[in-house]
Amino acid sequence: MGSFTGANRRKNKRILIVQELVIDGKPGGQAIDISIGGMYVSTRAAYSKNQVLTFQFQLDNEPVEVKGRVLHLHEGIGMGIKFVAISPEAYERIRVHIEKISAARAAQAPTGQKQVLIIDDTHFYLSVYQQRLMSEGYSVLTAQSGLEGLKILKEQRPDLIILDIVMEGMDGYKVLQILKTDPNLKEIPIIVFSVKGTPEEVSRALELGAADFLIKATTSPHQMAQRIRKLFQ
């Protein structure tokens, strides 16, 4: 699934699925997003680039089995997979599922209250900013890992996301990359909120599609609320 290396190669419609996987007969992975050409797999198991694996999972309570080649590895986080020799049945099941989920998400009616999702593995920041944003009148969802945030986004479409970068397992850059390749979620503004803020890190986040980059040590809850208000305006 070479689409993970650049926007010019992201030709297939992608959606979040967050689906448990059996890899070569062994449990221990999750599909995070999927297209008709491949998927991203979250796993800490060790595999090799170009290795061909068999993946078993379910879509709409029906089993699917595909073979895929490992194109990209992110050690301890996951890997990008390109489907190979996919059967017509599996291809059609994936295609129908993508169209079904895309249509359902597009039909979700917006509510009057703005909703913010905070993805951060530090309980202190989750608590402080959740309380402050709720006091500003926002509905606030929280997730303590990148994977938990993606699970929430499978069911919810918030109006804005506050995203930590340095997290255990899947870091914020990978979450940002996945969200900006999903046609149903890519328009959600994302504020990167990190303990780090080197020019290289800021540049990388903005290139991946972040709307803003704030540093935790120099940003107060009041300033965060102001930035969010400005983005919504």
Side-chain angles (χ1 to χ4, degrees), residues 80-99:
I81 300 296
K82 180 179 181 180
F83 297 145
V84 295
I86 187 170
S87 70
E89 293 81 7
Y91 179 94
E92 183 64 10
R93 188 164 292 161
I94 292 170
R95 185 194 68 79
V96 169
H97 184 77
I98 289 172
E99 294 304 323

Side-chain angles (χ1 to χ4, degrees), residues 97-144:
H97 184 77
I98 289 172
E99 294 304 323
K100 174 184 175 181
I101 297 302
S102 296
R105 290 177 181 170
Q108 287 181 349
T111 62
Q113 187 180 38
K114 295 291 187 182
Q115 187 176 71
V116 177
L117 170 61
I118 306 173
I119 305 175
D120 197 310
D121 65 353
T122 303
H123 178 74
F124 170 78
Y125 287 109
L126 280 181
S127 178
V128 168
Y129 285 89
Q130 179 184 30
Q131 293 301 318
R132 178 54 195 253
L133 295 181
M134 288 176 65
S135 74
E136 294 280 336
Y138 300 118
S139 168
V140 182
L141 301 169
T142 63
Q144 290 190 278

Side-chain angles (χ1 to χ4, degrees), residues 57-78:
F57 54 99
Q58 290 197 344
L59 292 178
D60 298 321
N61 296 317
E62 293 291 333
V64 178
E65 180 174 300
V66 295
K67 289 188 179 296
R69 177 177 290 110
V70 179
L71 289 191
H72 308 288
L73 287 169
H74 303 91
E75 187 174 354
I77 300 174

Side-chain angles (χ1 to χ4, degrees), residues 170-223:
M170 183 177 293
D171 67 15
Y173 291 121
K174 175 51 62 179
V175 175
L176 182 58
Q177 187 180 38
I178 289 172
L179 295 183
K180 291 304 178 179
T181 60
D182 188 313
N184 302 297
L185 301 172
K186 65 181 182 180
E187 299 302 326
I188 300 175
I190 299 174
I191 297 177
V192 170
F193 191 45
S194 180
V195 293
K196 298 182 178 181
T198 67
E200 292 78 15
E201 290 165 332
V202 175
S203 177
R204 183 181 179 191
L206 296 179
E207 286 175 0
L208 285 172
D212 206 346
F213 192 112
L214 301 177
I215 300 172
K216 291 181 176 180
T218 58
T219 303
S220 68
H222 174 71
Q223 290 170 318

